[in-house]
Amino acid sequence: MVEKIVEINHLQKKFGKVQALEDITFDVRKGEVFGFIGPNGAGKSTTIRVLLGILRASGGSATIFGQDVWHDAVAIHGRLAYVPGDVYLWPNLTGGEVIDLLLKLNHQKHSARTDALIKQFEFDPTKKSRTYSKGNRQKVALIAALSTEADLYIFDEPTSGLDPLNEEIFQQNVLQLKQQRKSILLSSHILSEVERMCDRIGIIRQGKIIETGSLDEMRHLTRTVITVQTNEPVSELDQIDGVHNIKEDSKQTNKVSFSVDSEKIDAAMELLAAKGIVSLQSTPPTLEDLFLRYYNNDSQGVKSDAQ
Ligand SMILES: Nc1ncnc2c1ncn2[C@@H]1O[C@H](COP(=O)(O)OP(=O)(O)OP(=O)(O)O)[C@@H](O)[C@H]1O
Ligand SMILES: [Mg+2]
């Protein structure tokens, strides 16, 4: 049987008249990375704050390790590590002191793993926190969380301020946690990160979960944009089912851009290769593309809800 670490059922949260969460239902299973994606203001951080027991739900239920997130918050917190999107630090402590303090608050000790993470992230722990950039503030929280022994790790847009090298280090560490059968809830705007890391994802919009499933199950929703120049003209692209929005470059010969469903990339590439590829640029689908596809594919429900 699948062990559910987080279980959320029809969760609601109202702030006065604002219904921030209307209907949130998903679960995070043992040993998986669950990606939580959605546009600004959709309710990701609010959901996470309810999970952390910082906010009290207005309806529905949420449990972690089978315990109620509000009533059993203290017990839950002993087995949980969290990194917020906006990291605020004590300005007069050094980064190293803050890391140790965060660990202590979580009943953890500075370990060899902490030192290894400081090294991996090339983080200078000797500077006062107020001098750190956004990325470095994020590193403080990430190093503390990643060196915490926990069963569930919750990251709320943890890589928004990190450069690609550090993002990669974060991702490697999360994949290691996963190998150790830890569970991870990761909210992110970066679809490539979600694609690489997550076993299953939940898409939230306007306080509602509009889709959950594995990426394979959602693959039909994604499209890649390709811009390519070839030796010979490519006229047969429109014959490939799954190729859309073909646009010819008016300035350069044999240059064309189009979008293609993920499962048809192979067929498109075969055709292009036969014409001799001079240059090729591929842009992965953005979150917006995914949403737009979702709406186009969906018959009624979501569209009418979104109005
Ligand atoms: N304390 C609060 N009081 C009133 N409204 C709030 C409060 N916190 C959040 N909201 C509202 O709840 C909704 C969801 O916000 P939330 O921060 O959860 O979004 P998000 O998905 O995390 O967005 P982002 O991607 O920008 O971080 C928004 O409409 C927001 O304005
Ligand atoms: Mg947020």
Side-chain angles (χ1 to χ4, degrees), residues 13-16 18-21 36 38-49 55 156-157 187 189 204 207:
K13 176 66 196 173
K14 260 189 177 171
F15 294 106
V18 180
Q19 182 96 39
L21 304 181
F36 195 27
N40 294 130
K44 301 179 295 295
S45 299
T46 304
T47 305
I48 288 174
R49 288 191 193 112
L55 293 174
D156 192 357
E157 285 177 52
S187 105
H189 279 131
I204 178 174

Side-chain angles (χ1 to χ4, degrees), residues 202-216:
I203 301 178
I204 178 174
R205 197 185 151 92
Q206 296 180 341
K208 289 184 199 162
I209 291 282
I210 55 173
E211 178 106 29
T212 35
S214 71
L215 266 168
D216 276 346

Side-chain angles (χ1 to χ4, degrees), residues 18-20 34 48 79 82 100 113 118 122 138 166 175 179-180 185 196 225 233-234 246 254 265 279 288 290 307:
V18 180
Q19 182 96 39
F34 186 91
I48 288 174
R79 300 170 61 191
Y82 163 62
D100 289 352
R113 175 149 175 76
I118 287 173
E122 293 187 347
Q138 248 170 339
N166 285 300
L175 292 174
Q179 278 166 5
Q180 296 161 18
L185 172 59
R196 178 167 172 215
V225 175
V234 188
I246 304 170
N254 299 340
I265 291 179
S279 70
E288 284 72 19
L290 189 73
Q307 280 163 5

